Amino acid sequence: MQNQTTIAAIATPPGRGGVGVIRLSGPKAYAIAESLTQQPLAGARYAAFRKFYDAVGEVMDEGLAICFPNPHSFTGEDVVELQGHGGPVIQNALLARLFELGAIAAKAGEFSMRAFENGKLDLVQAEAIADLIDATSQAAARSAVRSLQGAFSSKVNRVLEQLIHLRLHVEAAIDFPEEEIDFLADGKILSLLDGVAIAVTEVQQSARQGQLLREGLQVVIAGKPNAGKSSLLNALAGIERAIVTDIAGTTRDVLHEKITLNGLPITLTDTAGLRETGDIVEREGIRRAIKEIENADLLLLVYDLSQGDDPLQLAQEYFAEHLEPKRLMLIANKCDLTDAMPHLGDYQGFRHITVSAKQEMGVQALIDAVTAHAGFQPEEDTFIARTRHLDAMKRTQHYLAEAREQLVVYNAGELVAESLRLAQNALGEITGDFSADDLLGKIFGSFCIGK
């Protein structure tokens, strides 16, 4: 795909720095750069020192100019990188001069979009660029690099090849009905179909780990006033992040802290104590707490073990609709004030953990329980993944199950073929083989300018 426009953008973060990089990509990239420097560019991928001139011939800045001829560039087009000084004033002045010379401003993610359009990257690899930039842990960064290098794409493409092979068998069975052998009923197609379904499930399990690495887990701490919620946040975060006092109602607003537990990125939220109150400010804090609870991936309901409270009674009172074992853990705090020891257990079907947040007793067991509850078990070959990837695989599984039913129950070859076609389209959305323009716009629009 050939774009007729030449785009330009600052590729380094805003602010002061020793070096600032501006990128040009498109058919006029070389001509514009040579007009700026008033000299021919050096050889491909050769860094040459150049002065950068304004419209009246005055030197604006000086630095390096490097050219990358198509198709051997990031975008697959002619690309020029100009490395000048990193002040925002001079960078913006240079960019304005490039616009005067014929370039246009790049949209967010447009360089990566052009790389995708020109076959330099598939959609998963393009997304991995943004994920690598945004990585909040070393594990997430390593996984993003694996996706950028094609690990995720390779797994998806292998399953797609199996699915295409299966479709060929089904189409052949439909196209040659006069054959004496009933290809739909001989067991081979069913075996191939089950094999594809297993392969999709295996990729989905790996992708789930990658999604957790990228998006993390939203964990909310809730409970009555003075149950020790803020102490628990401080113990998990490893710093005195929340104010802790013996006065009930100290926390009146939500407090967010981004942490990493056992390699899993977590957004930890402390909330106001749940109780009836006439204080208008505290009531607003409780309203916000309930809103956070509704959006949580996991809720840690903290109660004071020394007071003999029933945690499920509190849960029933404030958020009965969220009483799900997969979303709720019961945390019995202040075991140091009782004869109880830290331990893991079960309470009426819910995970129950006894701790002392103040003394940090049982906290590591809680951390292990949280990551295990999320199903987080990263392996060395984990790749980064997004919610849309899991959604595509879920739809793929649905269509494969549909195809199996049409085959086993109805022996309807045409309907099997249609379900397999839909499965292939859904799976192909991951790498971009089948992607609507609005989906592409949404994905690349989330990138930073200059990438």
Side-chain angles (χ1 to χ4, degrees):
M1 183 177 296
Q2 294 296 320
N3 287 286
Q4 300 305 309
T5 56
T6 298
I7 55 175
I10 299 171
T12 41
R16 298 172 64 241
V19 176
V21 177
I22 294 178
R23 274 181 165 173
L24 282 159
S25 180
K28 296 182 180 179
Y30 284 11
I32 291 172
E34 288 176 348
S35 296
L36 177 73
T37 62
Q38 297 184 6
Q39 275 187 267
L41 293 169
R45 291 170 292 282
Y46 182 84
F49 177 78
R50 292 288 187 268
K51 296 182 184 297
F52 308 142
Y53 295 90
D54 64 15
V56 296
E58 295 290 333
V59 175
M60 304 172 66
D61 194 11
E62 58 184 23
L64 299 178
I66 311 172
C67 65
F68 303 87
N70 74 81
H72 306 295
S73 68
F74 174 73
T75 63
E77 305 172 335
D78 287 338
V79 172
V80 177
E81 287 195 358
L82 304 170
Q83 301 181 9
H85 293 92
V89 173
I90 186 58
Q91 285 281 287
N92 285 310
L94 283 171
L95 190 60
R97 177 60 181 149
L98 295 176
F99 296 156
E100 292 175 355
L101 294 170
I104 64 172
K107 301 183 182 74
E110 191 168 0
F111 287 89
S112 297
M113 179 74 159
R114 292 192 176 196
F116 169 71
E117 291 174 336
N118 293 325
K120 304 298 290 186
L121 301 168
D122 65 28
L123 199 51
V124 168
Q125 291 173 302
E127 289 171 312
I129 296 171
D131 294 334
L132 180 58
I133 293 170
D134 296 335
T136 57
S137 68
Q138 289 187 354
R142 287 194 297 269
S143 294
V145 168
R146 281 191 283 271
S147 286
L148 179 57
Q149 292 175 336
F152 188 11
S153 302
S154 295
K155 288 179 179 290
V156 172
N157 287 334
R158 281 197 293 270
V159 180
L160 275 170
E161 288 176 5
Q162 289 180 253
L163 188 47
I164 292 169
H165 182 63
L166 171 58
R167 287 189 65 193
L168 290 175
H169 276 271
V170 173
E171 296 290 346
I174 296 171
D175 290 341
F176 299 100
E178 68 280 359
E179 295 292 332
E180 294 183 2
I181 300 174
D182 185 351
F183 290 102
L184 289 176
D186 70 356
K188 183 174 180 60
I189 288 177
L190 180 60
S191 176
L192 291 173
L193 179 55
D194 288 343
V196 172
I198 291 171
V200 172
T201 300
E202 289 174 351
V203 177
Q204 185 184 44
Q205 290 171 347
S206 296
R208 171 61 179 158
Q209 300 301 316
Q211 183 206 28
L212 285 170
L213 266 179
R214 179 183 183 273
E215 300 179 5
L217 201 67
Q218 302 292 324
V219 177
V220 172
I221 303 173
K224 290 171 62 176
N226 265 3
K229 301 182 300 299
S230 296
S231 295
L232 184 60
L233 181 139
N234 290 340
L236 291 171
I239 58 173
E240 294 295 319
R241 182 67 174 84
I243 298 173
V244 177
T245 73
D246 292 331
I247 302 172
T250 302
T251 302
R252 295 190 168 202
D253 200 355
V254 295
L255 178 64
H256 300 285
E257 184 70 13
K258 291 187 178 294
I259 61 176
T260 301
L261 301 179
N262 290 350
L264 174 64
I266 287 177
T267 300
L268 195 61
T269 302
D270 186 18
T271 60
L274 301 175
R275 65 173 178 176
E276 296 296 330
T277 177
D279 188 313
I280 189 171
V281 177
E282 190 175 355
R283 276 209 312 269
E284 174 61 19
I286 293 170
R287 186 192 69 79
R288 295 185 182 188
I290 293 174
K291 184 177 180 180
E292 292 290 335
I293 288 167
E294 291 173 350
N295 296 324
D297 294 320
L298 178 62
L299 173 62
L300 303 182
L301 179 59
V302 182
Y303 71 99
D304 187 342
L305 189 63
S306 67
Q307 298 299 313
D309 292 333
D310 183 345
L312 288 183
Q313 183 178 344
L314 177 66
Q316 188 71 41
E317 180 179 353
Y318 283 98
F319 38 88
E321 66 273 22
H322 303 295
L323 288 178
E324 307 171 50
K326 66 179 181 180
R327 293 190 66 233
L328 179 63
M329 272 192 195
L330 307 178
I331 313 300
N333 192 28
K334 303 186 182 182
C335 71
D336 57 308
L337 302 182
T338 71
D339 294 331
M341 294 296 293
H343 72 277
L344 302 178
D346 181 89
Y347 183 81
Q348 296 186 28
F350 293 86
R351 191 72 163 160
H352 186 267
I353 304 170
T354 304
V355 302
S356 170
K358 187 175 182 179
Q359 302 299 327
E360 297 191 6
M361 299 165 58
V363 173
Q364 184 57 51
L366 172 58
I367 292 172
D368 295 341
V370 168
T371 53
H373 192 82
F376 185 64
Q377 297 175 327
E379 301 175 355
E380 284 302 314
D381 61 348
T382 298
F383 45 76
I384 211 74
R386 299 187 172 204
T387 299
R388 79 166 191 91
H389 302 150
L390 291 174
D391 175 67
M393 281 183 274
K394 183 177 180 180
R395 285 184 286 117
T396 301
Q397 289 176 318
H398 168 76
Y399 292 127
L400 290 175
E402 197 175 71
R404 195 180 199 281
E405 180 183 9
Q406 299 295 350
L407 177 64
V408 174
V409 178
Y410 304 106
N411 199 40
E414 290 82 359
L415 297 180
V416 173
E418 176 61 13
S419 294
L420 293 178
R421 183 188 68 82
L422 293 172
Q424 183 181 343
N425 286 358
L427 194 59
E429 288 179 12
I430 295 175
T431 56
D433 287 349
F434 302 95
S435 295
D437 290 341
D438 57 347
L439 172 63
L440 298 180
K442 184 177 180 180
I443 290 171
F444 288 102
S446 67
F447 285 30
C448 53
I449 300 293
K451 200 61 191 150

